[in-house]
Amino acid sequence: MTTAEQQQPQHQFPHPTGSNSYGHAQDPEPHGHQPPHAPLSPLGPEIPPPEQEDFVTDTESMRSDYDEDFMETYSLSSSILDYQYENGRRYASFRSGNYMMPNDEEEQERLDLTHHIYLMLMGGELFNAPIKNPQKVLDLGTGTGNWAIDFADQYPGAVVVGNDLSPIQPAWVPPNVEFFVDDYESDWLEKMNAYDFIHSRNLAGCVVDWHRLIRQAYDHLKPGGYLELQESAVWAWSDDGTLKMDSPLMEYLMSLNDAAHMIGRELNIYIDLKPWLIAHGFEDVHEQTYILPFSPWPQDPRLREIGRVQAAMVEKAVEAYGLRLCTQVLGWSQERTKLMQGLVRQQLKDRSLHSYTKIKVAYGRKPLI
């Protein structure tokens, strides 16, 4: 592959990045001026990899005001619990095809790690929006329900509702938490102006029409209520050229983006959160970007520990994000998919690779009038 081809690969989708003279990805938001011969990472200097050291990636009743018809809509049925199994992983059967990720125990462990990573990045906070005394809160695509449970513990006076396609939430939860099997891409049956706060996290690749979803959230927020979107880039960067565009990691990420584009469920929507909120009438819109190292290479102790947890999460995410996209959408064989995923995992364990991704958290307030 020529240098020009490395810098400008041809794909079916608009990549979230361009590239720079170092041949590695750079998004439209530069981190600041970078000297021509010594690009600086936003994570600070790296720790030189020891000769023998490696890091480990193995991971060891309050009722709401829903009416009776609404409750019956969300009652569990045998079809919801009749899971699908593909390539050794378990997937939801409810609205099959709307969600490309597994829902088995391994995936639930990964979701728990993701929750921990967000808490570490955000200084222990569950959200950034300046909400006060919330009475009713909605967590879209709640997954294992960790965010909703933690929020309910923090605000015992609030009713917290979490919905998801899979009933994988724990049975023992705070009395002010309710979980429902629901497709948030369908029409919301709750009354308008019902919520003080609506939260979502890592729904990239799970939504066909983000504008419709944001409009529904806007309509169902009380005046003065907040919507907060938390999304990770499904992409990677390095600021010292250690991550090459023709490396297994970047080839894999480009393939995943191609596949997601083919089914209309874009992965890299993290750059659109703030513009979308503004376009749909939200006020007081703010956004914050967090840098997330893929492994424990930064010198900063806090980022190093975050990188260690991220490495364990990514060990599982490599397969979770790509198994269905590669085999069902791109038409790869299971053998080819597993081989590529193995190469990606091997590359991510290389401590000389100073790669990272980005997480953006954006929130906005529905006008009072």
Side-chain angles (χ1 to χ4, degrees), residues 41 43-50 53-57 117 236-238 242 249 291-315 344-357:
S41 169
L43 301 177
E46 71 277 7
I47 293 180
E53 181 185 356
D54 195 4
F55 55 89
V56 178
T57 58
I117 289 168
W237 292 265
S238 72
T242 55
L249 175 58
I291 301 299
L292 176 57
F294 273 117
S295 67
W297 63 262
Q299 186 172 3
D300 178 84
R302 172 178 168 272
L303 290 172
R304 180 177 171 85
E305 180 59 24
I306 293 174
R308 190 178 300 278
V309 181
Q310 172 72 351
M313 191 282 290
V314 171
E315 176 82 6
V344 172
R345 290 192 185 97
Q346 182 179 5
Q347 182 185 5
L348 286 169
K349 291 180 180 180
D350 182 358
R351 286 274 287 277
S352 67
L353 175 66
H354 306 142
S355 60
Y356 61 90
T357 190

Side-chain angles (χ1 to χ4, degrees), residues 229 270-279 285-287 362:
L229 309 174
Y270 71 102
I271 58 177
D272 298 313
L273 304 182
K274 184 176 180 180
W276 282 345
L277 290 174
I278 295 173
V285 176
H286 294 270
E287 181 183 78

Side-chain angles (χ1 to χ4, degrees), residues 77-273:
S77 67
S78 59
S79 63
I80 292 174
L81 299 175
D82 185 17
Y83 299 116
Q84 295 182 351
Y85 295 85
E86 301 169 11
N87 300 313
R89 300 301 299 269
R90 190 187 76 185
Y91 295 83
S93 59
F94 180 56
R95 302 290 170 87
S96 178
N98 287 14
Y99 187 63
M100 302 301 288
M101 310 283 280
N103 67 1
D104 50 26
E105 290 185 3
E106 183 176 355
E107 174 66 1
Q108 293 173 42
E109 291 176 1
R110 187 190 72 81
L111 294 175
D112 291 344
L113 284 172
T114 299
H115 180 66
H116 183 53
I117 289 168
Y118 270 80
L119 289 176
M120 296 174 76
L121 281 174
M122 299 176 65
E125 299 295 334
L126 293 169
F127 55 89
N128 287 343
I131 61 174
K132 297 179 180 179
N133 191 31
Q135 298 301 301
K136 194 166 187 179
V137 176
L138 175 62
D139 185 29
L140 297 171
T142 193
T144 54
N146 283 324
W147 187 93
I149 292 170
D150 285 356
F151 191 99
D153 283 335
Q154 186 173 339
Y155 293 92
V159 173
V160 184
V161 179
N163 61 20
D164 200 275
L165 292 177
S166 296
I168 58 174
Q169 301 76 37
W172 295 96
V173 298
N176 55 326
V177 174
E178 299 175 344
F179 291 123
F180 297 104
V181 174
D182 182 25
D183 182 3
Y184 51 72
E185 292 193 274
S186 299
D187 291 335
W188 296 10
L189 301 182
E190 175 63 296
K191 63 184 180 182
M192 300 290 188
N193 305 314
Y195 296 102
D196 300 285
F197 184 40
I198 297 177
H199 164 268
S200 76
R201 184 172 67 192
N202 284 7
L203 299 188
C206 307
V207 179
V208 169
D209 191 344
W210 275 93
H211 295 285
R212 182 175 187 271
L213 182 65
I214 294 174
R215 283 197 303 270
Q216 290 209 94
Y218 183 96
D219 291 340
H220 287 80
L221 279 170
K222 297 176 183 177
Y226 283 88
L227 171 63
E228 180 162 308
L229 309 174
Q230 303 179 359
E231 290 294 331
S232 172
V234 188
W235 201 252
W237 292 265
S238 72
D239 293 326
D240 59 1
T242 55
L243 179 61
K244 307 297 183 182
M245 287 300 294
D246 60 351
S247 67
L249 175 58
M250 294 311 299
E251 292 286 352
Y252 188 58
L253 291 175
M254 286 186 281
S255 296
L256 296 188
N257 274 273
D258 281 337
H261 180 72
M262 290 167 65
I263 62 174
R265 296 181 180 272
E266 302 289 349
L267 289 173
N268 280 293
I269 50 84
Y270 71 102
I271 58 177
D272 298 313
L273 304 182

